[in-house]
Amino acid sequence: MKCKVMLVPIDPVHDIGLKMIARGLIEKGHEIIMLPPDLAMEEIVEQVLRTKNVDTLLMSRTLGYGVGELLARFIDLVDSTGIREKVKIGIGGMAIRPELAAELGFDAGFGPGTTVEETICFVEGREYTPDTLRTQKVKQDMTAGYDYAYHSTLIGDELHSITDMILDWVDDKTSPGVERAKVRDELWDIERWRSRQGNPEFDKVYPGLCGEIPRRYYQTGELHPKTRRFTVDEVQAFERYQKETKSRMSVMKLQHTRKKPMIFNQYGTGCPFMDIGHVIASEAWGADGVVHFDPSWGARTEGFLDGFLTHQEDGTVITPANLNRIHGGLEKSTLWQVRAHRGLNTPETVVLAGKIGADLTKINICYGALGAGTDPERMTVDGYHSILYAAKYNMPFDVVTNEELCGVPSYKAFAGMLIVADLARRLGARPILQPLFAYSPEVMIHGYMEDNYIDFNAAKVFALRSIINAPIWPGAPIGFLTHTEDRVQSAMTTALHTCLGSSLGVDAVSIASTDEAYSGGPITIPAKIDTLRAVAESLRFMGQAHIRETEQAQVYADRMVEGISHVLSDIIHCGDFVTAIHAGLLGSREEGAYPGRTGKGTVTIKKGVYEYDRSLCGREACQ
């Protein structure tokens, strides 16, 4: 049925939306009558009465002052003239919200973001069905298309030699973490656990492989002092919230006309209930993935608790129940990373994350040993087995270089990252390189960013690409140490670093909420949305355009590559990877990197399956 539609811009200008709708209506074969702008309400009514057989009146209003009074008076006029009985009336524009239109008596109200199709459906009396294909997202594999071939034969050969060295060293060694991972992998059946049937063989062995805190939990039910179980009422409220929110969930796409970078946002409030809220907000505002952040004490404790637990400080405790609840709250399109990179539970975290359904994990032997406090021997053995499990559970992992934040020069951090990546390739895993986009101590001391934030960050990507064909995911988060307590400034600097990543064609970036560095407590959802909105607008601004670095970027890149090769050569000359870490070849005490002590003395020679020397497990390993 063809309709006669009168379109009326109430403002003196701002009639672009109505013109777009007019074009859509004409294309559908409807007759349109466009009135001039800025008519008085009485003149509009007169035009409707004078024009025969108007089916629909569409009005627009952009200016907000006096809008309620003005439209209320118009409704009074159309009521008194009988127009309301014959003509369907809709109102839209920047000043309009559906709730306001309904309150005033309009047949429909269209706020900002309304599509032309939605308005045409109103005219034609059809139910509007959003085009879900337009925003439909699917999980992407950022390692697809990379063959990990070395462009630098010299560095590739050096890395192969160090990988041989590591494989020889770890061959006959194990640790409490490795033994727990083996038990979790072989005896813990997740389907039995989900159906509450229990895993008696696992339950019999696992507590004996744990440190004091988890062992007390399994023996007496005692929890870590900063954790508690959710109450029944809280769980029911959580389930209602999740069901109601998901029923009206839609997601955005942040990249505009580009396919990448994917955007990852971190959560870890300590409370899984709040985490789900943060995840949903991140998804709704366009994040492609989320990263699970756990508390630091969890990395220094041998073994995991279980149960649906909340923690009173930052970092959400890793338990099977917590991860399972959070996984159940994710959109199908959301990539989920569970970090496993830095502590005594690294291999078991990979196993647990893999069984519950994580898409990605995070492993770096060098950062764990130099920046995160874990003993280098322990981290090497645990890291090796973690990589094996990442391959088994088909989880790519990033190799983060956060030791730069301690003061380690980027070329040393990159040497460590490439060592782990080469080891991973030998073990059949899929590593992702994660350079920092950061105003790091090295940058501050040497003045590498006195002019701009572009050259040194771009140089990192250039250097890595000149060495190996591998995916690159700057983090973590981008713009680290450029953020301040000013939320506008933090959102802007994150957005600009995202634009740089986009321009460089990286595969993903991790972003920070605007209050991440200065929240003084859990990160807030408004601060998370600040950053996502800023990133979306910056990528819209960029489109397919590029940021151009100066010639200095290549100078920095060449210097990094040379430094990486020297570090690798020194490690080969040293003859032992763990000794090289202690000797500062991958970051020295003078540079701010201290070999960790957590887990010291817990690496032993293998005795066989589940025959680990349990006398070591009673200690919380920082000695």
Side-chain angles (χ1 to χ4, degrees):
M1 182 183 72
K2 304 305 177 188
C3 301
K4 181 182 283 187
V5 185
M6 181 172 284
L7 300 104
V8 188
I10 301 177
D11 298 322
V13 287
H14 306 131
D15 57 353
I16 296 171
L18 278 183
K19 288 175 178 173
M20 293 170 64
I21 292 169
R23 188 184 69 181
L25 290 167
I26 292 170
E27 289 173 354
K28 292 286 186 179
H30 300 296
E31 179 184 350
I32 67 110
I33 301 158
M34 176 72 83
L35 298 187
D38 204 21
L39 295 177
M41 295 295 104
E42 291 78 5
E43 292 178 290
I44 297 170
V45 169
E46 183 182 340
Q47 288 290 336
V48 175
L49 291 172
R50 185 182 301 166
T51 306
K52 301 295 182 185
N53 303 321
V54 172
D55 299 298
T56 305
L57 179 64
L58 293 178
M59 307 170 71
S60 75
R61 176 73 178 185
T62 295
L63 304 179
Y65 59 85
V67 64
E69 294 80 0
L70 184 70
L71 296 179
R73 187 159 64 84
F74 178 76
I75 289 295
D76 289 342
L77 284 172
V78 294
D79 281 342
S80 63
T81 55
I83 291 176
R84 280 292 299 273
E85 298 171 5
K86 303 174 183 175
V87 180
K88 192 161 54 176
I89 306 175
I91 178 75
M94 295 295 289
I96 304 301
R97 297 294 182 273
E99 297 81 5
L100 174 65
E103 183 181 346
L104 294 173
F106 285 83
D107 296 305
F110 304 101
T114 300
T115 64
V116 172
E117 177 62 21
E118 190 173 350
T119 314
I120 292 174
C121 286
F122 168 69
V123 170
E124 296 179 346
R126 294 187 287 116
E127 183 179 353
Y128 173 65
T129 305
D131 180 7
T132 54
L133 291 177
R134 193 166 56 88
T135 55
Q136 194 172 40
K137 296 170 73 172
V138 295
K139 287 182 180 179
Q140 298 180 51
D141 176 8
M142 74 176 83
T143 67
Y146 291 99
D147 61 6
Y148 296 91
Y150 285 106
H151 304 304
S152 169
T153 305
L154 171 63
I155 289 179
D157 290 344
E158 289 171 332
L159 289 168
H160 294 336
S161 297
I162 295 170
T163 292
D164 291 337
M165 190 188 299
I166 294 172
L167 292 174
D168 287 343
W169 191 87
V170 300
D171 184 55
D172 60 348
K173 296 179 179 65
T174 188
S175 76
V178 171
E179 295 304 310
R180 283 195 307 279
K182 190 184 301 180
V183 169
R184 180 74 69 177
D185 179 53
E186 297 179 3
L187 302 182
W188 191 73
D189 185 323
I190 187 168
E191 296 308 323
R192 288 184 60 85
W193 175 82
R194 280 175 171 155
S195 60
R196 301 180 185 276
Q197 297 178 57
N199 286 289
E201 288 188 64
F202 172 83
D203 296 340
K204 181 179 177 182
V205 176
Y206 186 78
L209 297 171
C210 292
E212 184 179 354
I213 292 173
R215 192 168 57 250
R216 280 207 307 264
Y217 166 78
Y218 290 106
Q219 293 173 346
T220 68
E222 180 182 347
L223 289 171
H224 183 278
K226 293 183 178 178
T227 64
R228 69 169 177 84
R229 293 180 179 83
F230 283 96
T231 66
V232 173
D233 288 345
E234 287 171 333
V235 172
Q236 291 173 344
F238 167 80
E239 291 173 345
R240 281 197 304 275
Y241 163 77
Q242 193 172 0
K243 183 178 179 181
E244 291 169 2
T245 308
K246 288 290 181 182
S247 68
R248 50 188 166 84
M249 185 76 181
S250 62
V251 298
M252 287 177 55
K253 179 176 179 293
L254 288 177
Q255 290 79 5
H256 190 49
T257 57
R258 288 179 183 258
K259 292 185 177 178
K260 55 185 182 182
M262 287 183 274
I263 308 296
F264 282 76
N265 211 345
Q266 183 170 286
Y267 68 85
T269 62
C271 171
F273 197 146
M274 289 175 61
D275 284 345
I276 289 291
H278 281 226
V279 167
I280 289 172
S282 297
E283 291 169 332
W285 290 93
D288 302 286
V290 292
V291 182
H292 184 94
F293 177 84
D294 57 315
S296 57
W297 62 262
R300 297 192 298 271
T301 303
E302 297 272 18
F304 291 130
L305 308 175
D306 201 351
F308 192 27
L309 306 179
T310 184
H311 176 230
Q312 68 181 227
E313 295 180 353
D314 262 10
T316 299
V317 181
I318 290 180
T319 71
N322 279 0
L323 291 186
N324 194 54
R325 287 275 185 179
I326 291 167
H327 177 251
L330 298 169
E331 288 290 300
K332 290 181 180 177
S333 61
T334 301
L335 289 163
W336 185 40
Q337 183 186 45
V338 178
R339 307 188 319 170
H341 59 312
R342 69 187 201 278
L344 302 181
N345 296 309
T346 298
E348 189 185 355
T349 302
V350 176
V351 174
L352 191 57
K355 288 199 171 192
I356 290 178
D359 303 287
L360 298 149
T361 185
K362 182 188 290 283
I363 304 167
N364 188 352
I365 296 171
C366 301
Y367 167 60
L370 288 172
T374 304
D375 170 64
E377 285 193 10
R378 175 66 183 268
M379 199 63 232
T380 302
V381 172
D382 284 15
Y384 162 76
H385 286 276
S386 302
I387 294 169
L388 284 174
Y389 285 123
K392 175 178 179 176
Y393 287 97
N394 197 29
M395 284 191 293
F397 65 90
D398 75 72
V399 192
V400 66
T401 50
N402 275 14
E403 63 265 44
E404 268 197 71
L405 300 178
C406 305
V408 175
S410 55
Y411 69 92
K412 287 191 174 183
F414 284 12
M417 173 171 59
L418 290 166
I419 288 170
V420 175
D422 191 78
L423 175 64
R425 289 304 295 161
R426 187 78 68 86
L427 299 177
R430 291 178 289 158
I432 302 164
L433 307 181
Q434 189 161 88
L436 298 191
F437 275 9
Y439 190 58
S440 65
E442 175 195 21
V443 166
M444 297 178 197
I445 292 168
H446 297 286
Y448 292 151
M449 291 185 176
E450 284 186 354
D451 177 60
N452 62 69
Y453 289 145
I454 296 171
D455 288 340
F456 198 71
N457 287 322
K460 292 179 174 180
V461 175
F462 296 161
L464 293 172
R465 284 184 175 153
S466 74
I467 294 171
I468 187 172
N469 179 35
I472 297 178
W473 173 3
I478 52 171
F480 211 119
L481 292 176
T482 67
H483 303 134
T484 70
E485 64 270 43
D486 181 331
R487 284 172 53 173
V488 173
Q489 185 274 342
S490 292
M492 172 171 279
T493 192
T494 297
L496 291 173
H497 282 82
T498 304
C499 286
L500 177 59
S502 173
S503 181
L504 292 167
V506 301
D507 298 279
V509 296
S510 293
I511 63 173
S513 299
T514 52
D515 63 356
E516 183 154 326
Y518 296 92
S519 66
I523 294 164
T524 62
I525 284 182
K528 198 172 285 286
I529 294 173
D530 284 348
T531 308
L532 288 162
R533 292 286 295 126
V535 166
E537 288 303 310
S538 67
L539 293 175
R540 174 65 184 86
F541 179 83
M542 282 287 294
Q544 297 289 332
H546 293 275
I547 293 172
R548 184 176 178 183
E549 72 286 348
T550 75
E551 293 178 353
Q552 186 62 37
Q554 193 58 52
V555 174
Y556 288 144
D558 293 342
R559 201 179 296 166
M560 286 178 200
V561 174
E562 184 179 359
I564 291 167
S565 184
H566 284 160
V567 171
L568 300 178
S569 178
D570 288 344
I571 294 171
I572 293 170
H573 181 71
C574 172
D576 183 277
F577 175 67
V578 174
T579 301
I581 294 177
H582 281 289
L585 299 185
L586 289 160
S588 68
R589 289 171 172 78
E590 292 74 21
E591 290 160 340
Y594 293 84
R597 297 181 300 163
T598 304
K600 188 176 179 61
T602 57
V603 171
T604 58
I605 302 301
K606 291 177 183 176
K607 294 182 177 180
V609 178
Y610 314 141
E611 292 179 0
Y612 178 75
D613 183 355
R614 296 178 189 179
S615 65
L616 293 171
C617 295
R619 322 174 204 175
E620 287 314 327
C622 186
Q623 303 174 31

